[in-house]
Amino acid sequence: MSTAKPRWEQAIERMRCRVDQTLESLQSEFPHWAEAATGKWTTTVDGDWTGGAWPGMLWLFARRTGSSRYLDAARLWSSRLEPRAHLQTAFKGFGFYYGVALGDILCADKDAATLALDAAQSLKGQYDPRLDLIPLGGDAEESEDVGNSFSSIDSLQAVPLLFWAAEKTGEASFADVAARHTTRVLDIHMRPDGSIVQSSELNPANGKVVRHFTHKGFSESSVWARAQAWGLVYAAVALAHRPQEKRWMEQLIAGADWWLSHVPPGLVAFWDFDDPAIPNTETDTAATAIVCSALLKLGRLAPSADLRAKYQDAGERIALALINGYLTPVGAGETRSQGMLVGACFNKRRDARLRDSATNAETIFGSYYLLEALNVLDGLIEAEKI
């Protein structure tokens, strides 16, 4: 699909306009999600679990443009995550990988590396050998059951930071915890058909699964789109570091094929694959952007040329669907900033945290993953290196 390459550049520039506007409009609070109709950000004081997506976008533009404006901003916003470094939450892996470690990966920033290693050391310490995984933790950003006997596919957010720390320090213990956590979480939450259940409660004495449930989807047993997406992207990241893990590859391919066989023809997922209101229900462009990133990684990692071509093509087609259908354009009568990835469903459950209750929104993490994918497609970075 080389004829579409200019579209990647154009879309990146549209997203840069949104980043510039956000830089000008926000002083110290982190962007969380924005209303699709206005572009007004709902913010968090400390970044919450999503906080790393914003400096992650700034690191990408710092690398892409070489501009000190983006580099200085990335350093500033990255440093503002420091108060979260020792929170007992598996989800801090997201913030400190994309928001901080990426500064080392993309820009060789020493301060970012130091802060990311501090968070990684704390995260490694949360591993529970009885459960053979990192539990959600008492500080986990959820609306209901959390703590040291609960897990979820989302907790694979811990994996990239730990593998990065292992490579940075040469300490195998980081990679060992990451690998154990990946294996256990995938085995607990992936069904035989390749679909993924979001959450689980474990027996704290022996690690056995007490129950499965989906606390952000349509029902206890439904396939919440973002659960499927998290499983795919973090399995792909783990495989980039441990390509010899054949079981992970089997699970990743099964999960990717399940997504591709169940997603609507337009390639943008609904918020939950089992919502009986489909097609008259919310889309989730954030979940779709996450899967786009995962497929581009699989397009580099899959074990045969045919499979690599299949997943690369799927990733490109999804990126185009998001650009053409959901990335706010330039044009007469358009009052919003260009480059907003709208159409995301953050959380529509009645028991959602107030700060997460949003549909047809722009989410900062959905925007991050689309920007990452576009920079991969445009050749700035290799998919398996990030």
Side-chain angles (χ1 to χ4, degrees):
M1 300 184 67
S2 59
T3 57
K5 185 174 180 181
R7 299 190 187 184
W8 313 138
E9 298 167 356
Q10 294 166 14
I12 290 167
E13 283 305 300
R14 282 156 65 184
M15 296 192 80
R16 186 155 76 101
C17 289
R18 178 57 166 164
V19 165
D20 288 345
Q21 184 200 54
T22 301
L23 271 175
E24 293 170 1
S25 65
L26 298 183
Q27 299 302 315
S28 59
E29 294 196 355
F30 288 80
H32 196 50
W33 62 268
E35 297 174 353
T38 66
K40 181 181 178 181
W41 285 108
T42 290
T43 59
T44 63
V45 174
D46 68 345
D48 204 80
W49 75 263
T50 63
W54 171 231
M57 296 178 77
L58 295 169
W59 289 122
L60 283 168
F61 277 118
R63 171 68 177 269
R64 183 176 183 86
T65 66
S67 169
S68 60
R69 178 177 188 233
Y70 297 114
L71 182 60
D72 290 346
R75 286 170 170 164
L76 174 63
W77 285 95
S78 176
S79 69
R80 287 174 172 167
L81 291 170
E82 183 175 7
R84 299 183 56 82
H86 293 271
L87 292 182
Q88 294 297 294
T89 168
F91 303 142
K92 71 185 177 190
F94 179 92
F96 284 90
Y97 178 73
Y98 293 109
V100 188
L102 223 59
D104 173 65
I105 295 168
L106 296 177
C107 301
D109 190 87
K110 293 181 179 179
D111 289 340
T114 299
L115 177 54
L117 285 173
D118 183 37
Q121 187 69 43
S122 172
L123 186 59
K124 183 179 70 170
Q126 293 173 223
Y127 172 76
D128 186 337
R130 295 169 301 175
L131 307 180
D132 202 20
L133 52 71
I134 297 171
L136 297 186
D139 296 321
E141 300 87 341
E142 296 287 4
S143 62
E144 48 181 65
D145 297 322
V146 297
N148 293 327
S149 63
F150 288 85
S151 183
S152 73
I153 195 70
D154 318 34
S155 74
L156 286 179
Q157 291 182 357
V159 168
L161 183 66
L162 293 173
F163 274 125
W164 166 82
E167 291 190 351
K168 187 69 177 177
T169 65
E171 294 181 24
S173 59
F174 287 107
D176 180 59
V177 168
R180 288 177 175 274
H181 183 68
T182 300
T183 296
R184 181 80 166 125
V185 171
L186 285 175
D187 285 349
I188 288 174
H189 297 96
M190 180 167 275
R191 300 183 181 99
D193 68 352
S195 66
I196 294 173
V197 64
Q198 185 190 1
S199 300
S200 58
E201 180 182 359
L202 309 177
N203 184 321
N206 57 26
K208 291 184 178 180
V209 176
V210 175
R211 66 180 175 117
H212 284 114
F213 60 105
T214 298
H215 69 277
K216 289 184 179 177
F218 175 77
S219 71
E220 291 279 294
S221 60
S222 64
V223 181
W224 178 51
R226 209 152 71 237
Q228 192 77 16
W230 289 134
L232 298 186
V233 77
Y234 292 123
V237 170
L239 271 164
H241 293 275
R242 291 279 183 93
Q244 71 273 22
E245 297 285 352
K246 293 182 179 180
R247 174 65 175 155
W248 297 354
M249 181 63 76
E250 292 170 357
Q251 290 169 314
L252 175 55
I253 288 175
D257 287 348
W258 189 95
W259 178 282
L260 292 173
S261 66
H262 287 78
V263 76
L267 298 178
V268 175
F270 293 106
W271 78 285
D272 190 298
F273 283 90
D274 296 305
D275 185 345
I278 290 172
N280 300 311
T281 193
E282 292 83 358
T283 57
D284 192 356
T285 56
T288 305
I290 296 166
V291 170
C292 181
S293 171
L295 291 173
L296 293 176
K297 291 172 173 37
L298 188 51
R300 300 277 292 189
L301 299 168
S304 72
D306 286 347
L307 285 175
R308 290 192 293 274
K310 170 186 173 179
Y311 297 120
Q312 176 71 23
D313 177 69
E316 292 188 18
R317 289 187 292 113
I318 289 171
L320 284 174
L322 290 171
I323 292 168
N324 293 336
Y326 296 91
L327 196 66
T328 54
V330 187
E334 179 60 72
T335 59
R336 299 170 295 180
S337 170
Q338 59 179 296
M340 295 171 55
L341 180 61
V342 299
C345 181
F346 199 139
N347 194 331
K348 66 172 288 181
R349 290 277 292 255
R350 292 181 179 179
D351 58 357
R353 295 187 306 167
L354 183 60
R355 71 180 63 178
D356 298 344
S357 185
T359 60
N360 188 22
E362 172 191 23
T363 63
I364 193 63
F365 56 94
S367 293
Y368 166 80
Y369 279 106
L370 178 58
L371 182 62
E372 177 196 288
L374 293 175
N375 277 286
V376 166
L377 290 167
D378 197 45
L380 180 75
I381 46 179
E382 295 177 57
E384 74 277 21
K385 301 296 185 184
I386 193 171

